[in-house]
Amino acid sequence: MRTLISDVLIIGAGLAGERAAIASAQAGLDVTMLSLVPPRRSHSAAAQGGMQASLGNSVKGKGDNPTVHWLDTVKGSDWGADQEVARIFADNAPIAMREMAHFGVPWNRVEGGPRDVYIKGKKTTIVEDDANEGLITARDFGGTAKWRTCYTADGTGHTVLYAMDNLAVQLDITIHDRMEALCLIHEDGVCIGAIVRSLRDGEILAYLAKATAIATGGYGRLYGESTNAIINEGTGSWLALQTGLVPLGNMEAVQFHPTGIVPTDILVTEGCRGDGGLLLDVDGYRFMPEYEPEKQELASRDVVSRRMKQHILKGKGVQSSYGEHLWLDLRHLGEEHLTTKLREVYDICMFFIGVNPIKELIPVRPTQHYSMGGIRVNKDGHAYGMKGLFALGEVACWDMHGFNRLGGNSLAETVVAGMVVGNKIADYAKTAELNANVSLAEKFGKEQTDLIQHLLTNSGTEDVYALRDEIAELLKDHVHIFRTGEGLEKAVTGLKEILGRLKNVRVKAQAPGMNPELSQALRIEGMAKQAYIIAKGALLRTESRGAHTREDYPARDDKNWLNRTLASWKIGADEPEFNYEPVGPLDLPPGDRGYGGGQMIDMDLSLEEYNAKVDVEQKALGKHTTSDPIGVSLPKEAWREESPYKDAK
Amino acid sequence: MARTLTFKIFRYNPTKENDEPHIDTFELEETPRLNLFTALHRIREKQAPDLMYDFVCRAGICGSCAMMINGRPTLACRTLTADLADTIELYPLPFFKLLGDLSVDTGVWFHDMAKRLESWIHTTKEFDPTAEEERMDNATANKIYESERCIECGCCVAACATAQVYPDFLGAAGLNRVGRFMFDPRDTRGEQEWFELVSTDIGVFGCIGMMACDDVCPKDLPLLEVFSYIRRKMNSGVKVAVTEMDLT
């Protein structure tokens, strides 16, 4: 087995991974990036709408600042977020946007003077400040008090990823693409690298490093019907889970985006509604203002998706051979807007479903979109339970999103976490010793080659694609927008049965090389186990918070459930282990989000009592000591200076 | 009546001993709005488990799935079978290294291209995290974005006559990338540097003007406009060079 050594190993070369690699390279470290696909094909490239940062340059962003951004983020999370991490994010987002401008992103800019926009369904003229001409502008997104989403038309992920990868090329960072990490190499709770399979020729290699970071994106493809790229199968979170030592956080927190197109489930950006798009029902009636008079189409995604489903259940959906859907109306935005600022959306509609959004309505329905859960890390991005292992971006549960993330906050998270966690990774690698334990690498390598041999020669008859589809069906049927105890029991039972059948998977394709069926077979255990954790975690959480909606437990229960689910799976165990930790230090007390309605059960602890137990309980579950003490990045009660609290008694 | 489609697919696995390039034929029932992403997955999952091809976003955004579809390079994910005849011939893109069947190594070629062209902002300015961003006029941002929209699918290079003869030719994707940085006021490269980069027969003067690239580009990039911009710039560059020669 070939063994390659570097200071830092980054698994995943989307935006978060590349930004972290750049931080290490700039610190003079030798970095290797691995990626399933060429970096520019990563799913980051598909992000359309933009990145939230409180630059406040547009007139509709006037008065914005990191505190307001933080407030929106914490409310959006339904108080499930770590408020300190959300603060670190909000504070650094403006710097990250400017840095990306410096790296070459052609952000759309403020043009001084009047222009017509659509706000809450009405054509309105706004006047941009001439003094801000040429600064980075922003558009409106859901769940925000200000226009804060920086963008390049509707190709934001693409332009930011290209600028980032240009810099990675300039810094001559080693990239090995078409490589899939199969397991981590670790000993005594310290990670020293990964065993990797080449998707070009099937070679098994060992990569050793002082620090290893996982930045592989989400697990949306477990649902089958998802806006995600087909590579987002939870491969990175599985690397952590299979160690038996690293917990996954809040896996039941799964986001459904209001506007996946029907059929194909391709996303059309929230920017459509941010720019004035409306949701209509079978009668052409605009229903959102009825449910959400304040935010209307621009409530948070969990709320809009729930309202859409609710409206469909009322019999107001549009029947089609692909199931029921609603309409997204962009016609009033006009040809120029749709072929410039929403050009990707226009192309997607024209090419994939033959709908011309200038003249026609777009069929949409809520579709799996984002994984709030993932590898649980501390505020430095250091994984619980394993030294030398970091995670960032969608694969991580850092956790600034809690139970619902705001549109524009995940793309921004990739570059902010890439910067903040990237620096922590570099700091760690600078002082860590290399443990070039080749015999340990051989041991882990042999486990993988044995597994491959087993899959290729097994006498079982289970088809891996059929199993994948069965997992997806169970999640779609029972662990979707609305959940019940009864349905979740069915999912748990069904997934348990699937777990029992995994040993019978046989790979039919015997050809050497890429062997796509073998790749799928190597992923299936991770997919099944993570699906099980999602379903079981959702069953255990007897409340409704953010995107996790229990019809049988409709209230947000801050008395019993203001916590984060941690699931780990000991090697050889039949069942995962579930633990719960405090969400993090609280500064903004739990309250009403201002949209979504719903009941609340109040916490019975004071903030001081809650905060006193955070660090101790988190450390008991594997959190490493952070470089700064807990809470130092969370300024006390800064929110009191901001609307709506400023004028409140 | 649903059609039965016949797929004739190029097969070759370079890692398999004694494998020879050949064509395999598969039949598939057409379903409404079937695209080649779904069709190829159905073939792989039911008929040919070792069939190799590349998809990532399956939404026409990532550029992974370009292939020769009935002789024309384009994105497979957004090609609907309804727009094709009963028999569909699929070949890998020419020019790029073949990894197997329909999968080619566009990633490494584009990475090398980025390196050759120094596809990054050349500036001596350091980033100042405390400073306001440098201003840019929105029209300039939009102009850069127009060229930045390239998804590196490789269709333009696969369709290019010059590229088939001169493997070092930068191709439309490369020249477009040069244009993208020429438009960008943040890039400090001057005329002489651009001239040295692209005024060669593997650069802008290698193009013989057949413009197949422009015909096949799935993103409708303004390639004609970009090429003429670069040529105009280079012609003015030549004058500078001649004047300098006259002086010596």
Side-chain angles (χ1 to χ4, degrees):
Chain A
M1 187 172 61
R2 283 201 294 147
T3 302
L4 288 82
I5 294 176
S6 41
D7 294 323
V8 176
L9 176 66
I10 310 266
I11 303 169
L15 275 175
E18 286 215 314
R19 182 61 187 82
I22 286 164
S24 277
Q26 286 176 334
L29 295 159
D30 177 33
V31 189
T32 300
M33 295 192 291
L34 304 177
S35 174
L36 291 176
V37 297
R40 292 177 192 220
R41 314 232 187 273
S42 305
H43 193 45
S44 303
Q48 298 166 7
M51 293 189 174
Q52 280 203 46
S54 57
L55 292 165
N57 295 327
S58 163
V59 66
K60 298 295 288 180
K62 224 172 186 172
D64 203 6
N65 62 50
T67 304
V68 182
H69 186 184
W70 172 83
L71 271 169
D72 287 342
T73 303
V74 172
K75 289 179 190 175
S77 81
D78 223 354
W79 273 266
D82 180 315
Q83 296 191 7
E84 186 184 18
V85 168
R87 185 74 206 199
I88 293 169
F89 162 73
D91 284 345
N92 281 287
I95 299 169
M97 298 309 116
R98 289 172 171 150
E99 186 184 64
M100 289 317 302
H102 182 76
F103 292 163
V105 172
W107 294 116
N108 276 77
R109 303 292 179 139
V110 174
E111 292 178 281
R115 66 186 169 110
D116 290 338
V117 295
Y118 282 87
I119 300 174
K120 293 186 182 175
K122 289 194 191 73
K123 196 170 188 173
T124 313
T125 303
I126 59 171
V127 184
E128 294 287 1
D129 192 346
D130 284 332
N132 286 347
E133 172 93 23
L135 296 175
I136 298 169
T137 192
R139 60 163 40 126
D140 200 7
F141 253 49
T144 64
K146 305 282 179 187
W147 290 23
R148 185 187 295 131
T149 304
C150 309
Y151 62 96
T152 56
D154 57 352
T156 313
H158 171 91
T159 58
V160 179
L161 184 62
Y162 272 49
M164 196 74 90
D165 193 54
N166 282 337
L167 182 57
V169 173
Q170 182 183 4
L171 295 171
D172 211 12
I173 296 174
T174 304
I175 167 73
H176 292 173
D177 68 7
R178 296 176 186 263
M179 288 286 187
E180 177 158 358
L182 299 179
C183 71
L184 298 173
I185 307 167
H186 60 96
E187 184 178 41
D188 303 328
V190 183
C191 180
I192 63 163
I195 298 294
V196 174
R197 177 170 176 262
S198 163
L199 301 179
R200 293 163 184 271
D201 57 14
E203 183 185 2
I204 301 290
L205 305 90
Y207 283 79
L208 300 181
K210 296 172 185 169
T212 302
I214 302 175
T216 50
Y219 46 86
R221 275 282 153 184
L222 297 186
Y223 277 81
E225 281 173 9
S226 166
T227 65
N228 286 191
I230 62 169
I231 53 174
N232 298 124
E233 294 189 307
T235 51
S237 30
W238 170 231
L239 291 175
L241 184 68
Q242 64 171 304
T243 63
L245 301 170
V246 182
L248 304 183
N250 282 350
M251 292 293 277
E252 68 271 31
V254 176
Q255 177 164 87
F256 300 89
H257 193 292
T259 57
I261 60 171
V262 183
T264 76
D265 309 308
I266 296 171
L267 177 78
V268 292
T269 172
E270 184 159 320
C272 292
R273 284 171 290 131
D275 291 3
L278 306 172
L279 291 168
L280 308 180
D281 67 12
V282 65
D283 305 322
Y285 174 70
R286 188 178 164 223
F287 57 93
M288 275 309 293
E290 215 171 85
Y291 295 105
E292 296 294 332
E294 178 55 32
K295 290 276 180 189
Q296 308 182 353
E297 275 86 354
L298 288 172
S300 61
R301 287 177 180 172
D302 58 331
V303 170
V304 177
S305 287
R306 239 177 345 256
R307 298 304 195 187
M308 289 170 76
K309 187 86 187 174
Q310 201 178 341
H311 203 61
I312 290 173
L313 291 171
K314 268 192 192 169
K316 294 294 181 184
V318 183
Q319 303 288 337
S320 85
S321 55
Y322 298 97
E324 287 182 88
H325 63 77
L326 294 159
W327 299 114
L328 174 65
D329 186 2
L330 304 180
R331 296 172 300 182
H332 53 291
L333 301 185
E335 181 166 355
E336 208 217 312
H337 192 99
L338 288 170
T339 53
T340 56
K341 283 197 170 119
L342 293 173
R343 183 173 181 160
E344 292 297 336
V345 169
Y346 176 81
D347 277 358
I348 286 167
C349 291
M350 291 292 273
F351 279 104
F352 289 91
I353 53 172
V355 167
N356 180 348
I358 298 166
K359 298 183 204 141
E360 296 170 277
L361 300 173
I362 307 168
V364 293
R365 70 174 162 218
T367 307
Q368 193 290 336
H369 180 62
Y370 188 79
S371 314
M372 272 79 76
I375 302 170
R376 179 64 185 135
V377 297
N378 70 12
K379 66 174 172 175
D380 297 342
H382 208 162
Y384 279 32
M386 177 82 60
K387 281 206 148 181
L389 179 67
F390 295 79
L392 66 160
E394 190 174 350
V395 75
C397 182
W398 190 23
D399 161 17
M400 54 171 277
H401 305 303
F403 277 75
N404 174 68
R405 95 162 157 81
L406 297 180
N409 259 359
S410 67
L411 199 61
E413 180 192 11
T414 62
V415 294
V416 173
M419 197 164 80
V420 173
V421 173
N423 289 334
K424 302 292 179 189
I425 297 168
D427 290 346
Y428 179 91
K430 272 189 272 186
T431 55
E433 297 260 326
L434 178 77
N435 177 5
N437 188 340
V438 177
S439 60
L440 186 70
E442 293 283 352
K443 182 183 101 88
F444 279 94
K446 184 163 183 310
E447 279 175 21
Q448 294 303 319
T449 49
D450 287 351
L451 174 61
I452 290 169
Q453 192 58 25
H454 166 75
L455 289 166
L456 291 170
T457 57
N458 193 4
S459 58
T461 54
E462 292 289 352
D463 176 66
V464 68
Y465 298 120
L467 285 175
R468 176 203 62 191
D469 292 347
E470 283 183 49
I471 293 169
E473 284 302 316
L474 286 166
L475 291 179
K476 260 184 321 201
D477 290 349
H478 305 299
V479 204
H480 216 260
I481 295 176
F482 288 110
R483 304 164 177 189
T484 63
E486 196 189 345
L488 293 168
E489 291 277 9
K490 280 187 196 155
V492 167
T493 309
L495 288 162
K496 186 88 185 179
E497 193 256 335
I498 288 171
L499 282 169
R501 287 155 56 198
L502 291 179
K503 60 180 184 298
N504 301 324
V505 170
R506 179 171 175 272
V507 173
K508 294 180 287 298
Q510 296 287 319
M514 192 185 285
N515 198 339
E517 191 190 5
L518 177 61
S519 297
Q520 189 73 61
L522 287 165
R523 293 176 190 176
I524 197 75
E525 184 186 352
M527 294 171 77
K529 285 190 169 168
Q530 291 179 86
Y532 188 81
I533 287 172
I534 294 168
K536 189 81 186 270
L539 176 65
L540 294 172
R541 185 171 282 275
T542 50
E543 64 152 357
S544 292
R545 184 181 298 274
H548 171 67
T549 310
R550 286 285 297 260
E551 286 183 279
D552 42 357
Y553 295 94
R556 190 183 83 199
D557 183 353
D558 292 325
K559 187 175 168 192
N560 297 297
W561 288 102
L562 187 57
N563 59 25
R564 180 177 299 107
T565 309
L566 296 187
S568 50
W569 205 311
K570 295 251 160 24
I571 293 169
D574 287 339
E575 283 278 327
E577 189 182 302
F578 284 89
N579 288 293
Y580 295 89
E581 65 169 14
V583 293
L586 299 177
D587 183 48
L588 185 71
D592 181 29
R593 301 166 90 186
Y595 47 80
Q599 316 147 31
M600 287 187 288
I601 299 169
D602 292 336
M603 62 191 280
D604 53 8
L605 298 178
S606 68
L607 288 193
E608 291 71 27
E609 286 166 330
Y610 188 94
N611 289 344
K613 63 180 189 163
V614 175
D615 203 35
V616 182
E617 293 192 12
Q618 292 186 337
K619 279 184 171 151
L621 290 168
K623 185 177 82 168
H624 300 300
T625 304
T626 43
S627 48
D628 296 322
I630 189 167
V632 296
S633 301
L634 185 60
K636 283 273 168 291
E637 301 195 346
W639 49 271
R640 287 200 189 275
E641 295 305 307
E642 302 298 336
S643 168
Y645 305 99
K646 200 171 183 173
D647 314 314
K649 287 283 166 203
Chain B
M1 257 306 275
R3 291 190 299 171
T4 299
L5 302 170
T6 302
F7 285 85
K8 291 178 181 277
I9 300 179
F10 173 90
R11 304 297 304 274
Y12 176 59
N13 181 349
T15 66
K16 191 169 159 186
E17 229 174 297
N18 303 321
D19 199 22
E20 293 284 342
H22 61 282
I23 305 296
D24 276 349
T25 303
F26 305 96
E27 289 196 340
L28 190 73
E29 290 299 306
E30 186 171 43
T31 50
R33 292 201 193 283
L34 181 68
N35 59 30
L36 290 187
F37 163 74
T38 304
L40 282 168
H41 274 77
R42 285 182 185 164
I43 291 171
R44 178 197 271 177
E45 293 179 12
K46 296 289 179 204
Q47 305 183 46
D50 50 3
L51 180 62
M52 294 177 267
Y53 50 74
D54 295 317
F55 288 96
V56 179
C57 77
R58 61 80 176 92
I61 291 168
C62 76
S64 300
C65 65
M67 57 183 72
M68 301 299 280
I69 300 169
N70 290 343
R72 196 179 168 85
T74 192
L75 300 179
C77 68
R78 64 180 210 187
T79 300
L80 301 178
T81 57
D83 297 331
L84 304 172
D86 297 352
T87 299
I88 298 167
E89 291 190 337
L90 303 179
Y91 283 76
L93 287 188
F95 183 82
F96 298 100
K97 181 183 171 187
L98 180 73
L99 293 173
D101 300 341
L102 301 172
S103 172
V104 294
D105 202 346
T106 46
V108 165
W109 189 85
F110 276 99
H111 185 269
D112 291 346
M113 181 269 274
K115 214 171 221 177
R116 274 163 74 191
L117 294 177
E118 302 191 359
S119 160
W120 52 82
I121 302 280
H122 288 52
T123 177
T124 51
K125 288 181 192 153
E126 291 286 325
F127 174 64
D128 177 359
T130 62
E132 184 178 275
E133 64 271 25
E134 213 172 296
R135 291 176 191 239
M136 180 186 279
D137 145 280
N138 196 43
T140 306
N142 283 331
K143 194 167 169 64
I144 297 167
Y145 178 65
E146 268 308 292
S147 285
E148 187 84 316
R149 289 173 52 250
C150 171
I151 56 172
E152 302 194 345
C153 62
C155 287
C156 59
V157 185
C160 173
T162 306
Q164 310 313 314
V165 182
Y166 298 105
D168 290 337
F169 183 54
L170 290 171
L175 294 172
N176 175 67
R177 180 65 49 80
V178 171
R180 180 250 171 269
F181 284 96
M182 279 180 164
F183 299 145
D184 197 323
R186 293 168 293 196
D187 198 300
T188 54
R189 277 176 280 190
E191 236 141 67
Q192 194 59 38
E193 284 155 290
W194 292 124
F195 185 80
E196 280 164 20
L197 200 58
V198 291
S199 283
T200 62
D201 55 3
I202 59 161
V204 73
F205 297 116
C207 169
I208 53 175
M210 294 169 79
M211 299 312 289
C213 50
D214 198 58
D215 290 343
V216 299
C217 176
K219 302 309 277 187
D220 285 327
L221 296 178
L223 296 173
L224 269 171
E225 192 189 308
V226 175
F227 292 0
S228 43
Y229 175 82
I230 298 174
R231 283 184 188 220
R232 276 202 310 276
K233 273 271 210 190
M234 290 308 100
N235 284 334
S236 63
V238 171
K239 272 183 212 145
V240 174
V242 171
T243 319
E244 280 171 358
M245 264 168 54
D246 286 347
L247 287 172
T248 54

